[in-house]
Amino acid sequence: MASAIEDYALLGDCETAILVSRDGSMDWLCWPRFDSDACFAALLGGPEHGRWLVAPEGPVVRSTRRYRGDTLILETDFETADGAVTVIDFMPPRGDASDVVRIVVGRAGRVAMRTELIVRFGYGCTVPWVSRLEEGGLRAVAGPDMLVLRTPVPLHGEKLTSVASFTVSAGERVPFVLTYSPSYRIAPEPVDAELALRETELFWQDWIGRCTYDGAWADAVRRSLVTLKALTNRPTGGIVAAATTSLPEQLGGVRNWDYRHCWLRDSTFTLQVLMNAGFYEEADAWRDWLLRAAAGNPDQLQIMYGLAGERRLLEWEADWLPGYEGAKPVRIGNAAASQLQLDVYGELMDTMHQARRGGLGRNEAGWKLQRALLAHLERIWDQPDEGIWETRGGRRHFTFSKVMAWVAFDRGIKSAEQFGVDGPIDRWKTLRRRIHEEVCANGYDAEAGCFVQSYGAKEPDAALLLLPIVGFLPAEDPRVRGTVAAVERHLLKDGFVQRYDTEKVVDGLPPGEGSFLACSFWLVDAYVLQNRRAEALELFERLLGLRNDLGLLSEEYDARAGRLVGNFPQAFSHIALVDSVHNLTRDAEPAKQRSSDGGKESA
């Protein structure tokens, strides 16, 4: 069985990622891209579905691990009765090929070690042909894929597994380098493991050295930013929501989704986090990715895209995988890509407006696209949709979707007024006023004293915590205060916030999921905006305590099981963490930035 989600570390080369457990087993790796087929899929099954173990052969008395500074170089210390070793794991910045490097360093005594390499292409179902290279090393080939392992340790085959036992003494360093290449090419050139280690450390030190934030919780901010960088596809600028698919939102449940795609919804949060931390190059690349992905006929806008802007994200099930701790099905691709979700129009318009405000520069082609999207939104904003949470229980008039349609026109107006771009401002103002009035009339329950998830519903939705942040209403408005209170009463469970009550809302799935960590950070932000600082700090510290020992967060948290759940690590959770830090330390700066006018109502 795979390790607990919180027991995994993240490695990456800004094009793909690895999850490696405390016991030295790499249980998840998709090569060559985040969304490629996995060649190590033990995370969603067992060792027979692919993994790479490097660990002591006998009992481990004690183990600890850490990242080397603000890098993605993982150091795991193992102590046995006979001595101590450190396993250094990392992925060098990608050159002609993509590599995984493992260096076993003897620290004391003599430690018997074992390595087991089980390569299973195609998400654990394809056994490759393994052969020896003339110059040394092993080559595993199946169809289009090839892995080459080079090490001074002699390996042999056992039951379709490449294994070896070896001993490491104090002062010795034993390298392993695993390289991916298309199978039609010749084997890639060998990599000097020690040189790659120095270059990888310099890469991450140089990158995080550009971070401009040095206030409270700086370590948590830097680790979140490194994680966000690791989830960025360097060639395209796209940022995946998570490195994994089908880690369940409820242990043993069916809410298992593929998050190795790029969501438009995350765009404004992502852009602001990058700009506020000084990473304008990454922010500009994300903005450019967004424009390329969204380009085309406005009525074909999707809520998510592939790493390079791919639109066909067909959802299918890998039925040979038993799933994480038995949570099935294992889904590849995401059918929600075809849903209508009106909020993404607001996110895209907000992102582009914030980019202009942040100094990323004008983009005439981008404004033409924005105008075309607003023209399309004029025709569809009053339709029901699937909403921010991508429900599969049928379309409804979701309140937050309408609010974000308001945001779209509001940001179009502000862009025209503040930056001189052309547009039918008067018509947009009329629509903005009309949408605002409709939401306040139909999305607000006067009897309950709060905004509700959809027109006519009685239940709140945690996304409504964003109303003051996007500028729809000021934080001190009684309707906003009532909505925050309703979220506290109905969705604040065991100290953390759920997206909505799955027992009461028909979303097309069996009820039950963890608390959504981004929503919990949004409550922190709402407290800050309402000058409830003590409550904000208490909740924020509680959320920080959910990070694993390496500072990583998943999508959700199961308070009763005391477990992280959902895909891991989750970009949205880390983005929300950084936003909350800025709000706590800079007088609610990101929230006021995004509202564009400090939370003052525009109608």
Side-chain angles (χ1 to χ4, degrees), residues 263-562:
W263 266 255
L264 297 192
R265 179 170 299 113
D266 304 357
S267 56
T268 309
F269 293 99
T270 304
L271 189 87
Q272 283 191 340
V273 159
L274 292 170
M275 291 194 302
N276 287 335
F279 294 102
Y280 276 80
E281 181 180 333
E282 283 75 14
D284 197 31
W286 173 238
R287 191 266 307 266
D288 289 346
W289 174 89
L290 185 67
L291 287 173
R292 293 194 307 272
N297 193 327
D299 65 6
Q300 295 179 333
L301 183 71
Q302 296 186 184
I303 66 151
M304 74 179 84
Y305 296 87
L307 296 171
E310 296 91 347
R311 299 182 175 219
R312 189 175 295 114
L313 307 177
L314 300 178
E315 184 177 304
W316 56 278
E317 297 177 5
D319 57 9
W320 59 88
L321 287 172
Y324 180 83
E325 295 190 9
K328 296 190 73 170
V330 171
R331 294 183 174 95
I332 311 299
N334 200 314
S338 62
Q339 289 185 351
L340 173 65
Q341 296 177 21
L342 295 173
D343 65 289
V344 299
Y345 290 87
E347 293 293 355
L348 192 149
M349 291 297 297
D350 199 10
T351 300
M352 300 308 296
H353 182 64
Q354 301 302 337
R356 290 186 182 91
R357 295 183 74 221
L360 289 187
R362 295 180 61 165
N363 186 307
E364 295 302 327
W367 178 244
K368 290 180 181 178
L369 173 62
Q370 288 178 259
R371 283 197 56 177
L373 290 170
L374 285 178
H376 181 60
L377 186 59
E378 287 185 49
R379 297 189 292 270
I380 68 168
W381 72 267
D382 58 353
Q383 296 180 15
D385 72 339
E386 275 89 3
I388 181 175
W389 305 126
E390 300 168 7
T391 59
R392 300 191 177 194
R395 293 183 177 182
R396 285 183 283 160
H397 290 285
F398 285 99
T399 302
F400 186 74
S401 296
K402 307 302 186 188
V403 168
M404 293 308 293
W406 176 92
V407 167
F409 291 109
D410 179 73
R411 301 313 190 256
I413 293 164
K414 286 183 168 62
S415 292
E417 291 177 339
Q418 297 175 17
F419 301 102
V421 292
D422 63 312
I425 297 178
D426 290 340
R427 190 167 80 243
W428 291 343
K429 285 184 176 180
T430 298
L431 276 166
R432 181 177 66 177
R433 184 179 304 109
R434 180 183 169 190
I435 297 171
H436 199 281
E437 291 172 351
E438 179 183 300
V439 170
C440 291
N442 299 327
Y444 181 76
D445 186 326
E447 183 179 346
C450 68
F451 284 93
V452 291
Q453 184 178 56
S454 61
Y455 292 178
K458 294 295 183 181
E459 300 78 24
D461 187 308
L464 299 171
L465 293 169
L466 296 174
L467 262 61
I469 292 174
V470 300
F472 185 79
L473 285 172
E476 62 271 16
D477 188 289
R479 292 166 292 183
V480 172
R481 289 188 176 277
T483 301
V484 173
V487 168
E488 291 175 304
R489 285 195 307 273
H490 300 289
L491 300 181
L492 188 60
K493 306 290 187 182
D494 301 310
F496 305 101
V497 180
Q498 296 179 325
R499 294 185 293 182
Y500 54 90
D501 190 337
T502 59
E503 296 283 348
K504 296 179 179 178
V505 175
V506 177
D507 62 4
L509 295 164
E513 66 172 4
S515 297
F516 200 78
L517 295 181
C519 294
S520 300
F521 284 112
W522 294 346
L523 184 57
V524 172
D525 302 337
Y527 285 157
V528 172
L529 289 172
Q530 292 185 349
N531 296 316
R532 299 164 63 180
R533 185 171 180 82
E535 292 165 281
L537 285 170
E538 181 185 0
L539 177 54
F540 181 75
E541 291 290 355
R542 195 156 65 240
L543 286 163
L544 280 189
L546 302 185
R547 297 175 302 154
N548 73 358
D549 57 312
L550 297 172
L552 302 178
L553 286 170
S554 67
E555 178 187 21
E556 299 184 6
Y557 181 70
D558 184 332
R560 296 184 181 182

Side-chain angles (χ1 to χ4, degrees), residues 222-238:
R222 289 196 300 270
R223 178 49 54 190
S224 291
L225 290 168
V226 167
T227 302
L228 189 60
K229 175 66 173 176
L231 296 175
T232 301
N233 184 254
R234 187 162 48 169
T236 67

Side-chain angles (χ1 to χ4, degrees), residues 2-76:
S3 298
I5 293 171
E6 55 269 24
D7 284 341
Y8 283 100
L10 173 73
L11 309 178
D13 63 359
C14 300
E15 294 190 43
T16 192
I18 298 172
L19 295 188
V20 53
S21 68
R22 291 178 185 274
D23 63 3
S25 179
M26 292 182 173
D27 288 347
W28 183 252
L29 171 57
C30 303
W31 246 346
R33 303 196 331 174
F34 292 103
D35 57 354
S36 298
D37 287 13
C39 58
F40 300 156
L43 179 69
L44 300 178
E48 68 274 16
H49 297 109
R51 70 150 180 183
W52 184 15
L53 175 73
V54 175
E57 196 160 32
V60 173
V61 175
R62 181 171 178 266
S63 68
T64 58
R65 61 180 182 172
R66 65 201 163 271
Y67 284 120
R68 180 179 292 188
D70 296 319
T71 76
L72 276 187
I73 299 170
L74 179 69
E75 299 177 332
T76 305

Side-chain angles (χ1 to χ4, degrees), residues 53-237:
L53 175 73
V54 175
E57 196 160 32
V60 173
V61 175
R62 181 171 178 266
S63 68
T64 58
R65 61 180 182 172
R66 65 201 163 271
Y67 284 120
R68 180 179 292 188
D70 296 319
T71 76
L72 276 187
I73 299 170
L74 179 69
E75 299 177 332
T76 305
D77 297 333
F78 294 105
E79 296 180 13
T80 73
D82 299 317
V85 298
T86 297
V87 178
I88 303 173
D89 293 325
F90 62 96
M91 294 190 78
R94 191 173 298 195
D96 294 333
S98 181
D99 306 289
V100 180
V101 180
R102 314 191 77 171
I103 303 173
V104 184
V105 181
R107 293 189 292 115
R110 286 172 55 84
V111 179
M113 301 288 294
R114 180 172 176 81
T115 184
E116 298 177 359
L117 176 63
I118 306 174
V119 179
R120 296 293 183 266
F121 294 115
Y123 296 104
C125 72
T126 302
V127 179
W129 183 262
V130 179
S131 59
R132 296 189 181 276
L133 298 174
E134 292 182 2
E135 70 274 19
L138 298 179
R139 175 170 54 194
V141 174
D145 302 304
M146 173 172 65
L147 299 188
V148 174
L149 176 64
R150 290 187 171 94
T151 177
V153 174
L155 288 92
H156 64 277
E158 281 183 10
K159 299 178 180 179
L160 302 179
T161 301
S162 298
V163 302
S165 296
F166 60 102
T167 302
V168 179
S169 301
E172 285 188 306
R173 298 174 72 93
V174 180
F176 296 81
V177 180
L178 186 67
T179 304
Y180 176 89
S181 179
S183 61
Y184 58 82
R185 294 182 181 172
I186 61 172
E189 292 296 316
V191 169
D192 183 322
E194 299 293 346
L195 176 61
L197 176 60
R198 293 193 293 273
E199 290 177 342
T200 302
E201 186 169 15
L202 287 173
F203 170 83
W204 286 107
Q205 288 175 341
D206 178 68
W207 187 81
I208 199 62
R210 293 157 45 201
C211 178
T212 57
Y213 182 78
D214 61 356
W217 305 290
D219 288 347
V221 169
R222 289 196 300 270
R223 178 49 54 190
S224 291
L225 290 168
V226 167
T227 302
L228 189 60
K229 175 66 173 176
L231 296 175
T232 301
N233 184 254
R234 187 162 48 169
T236 67

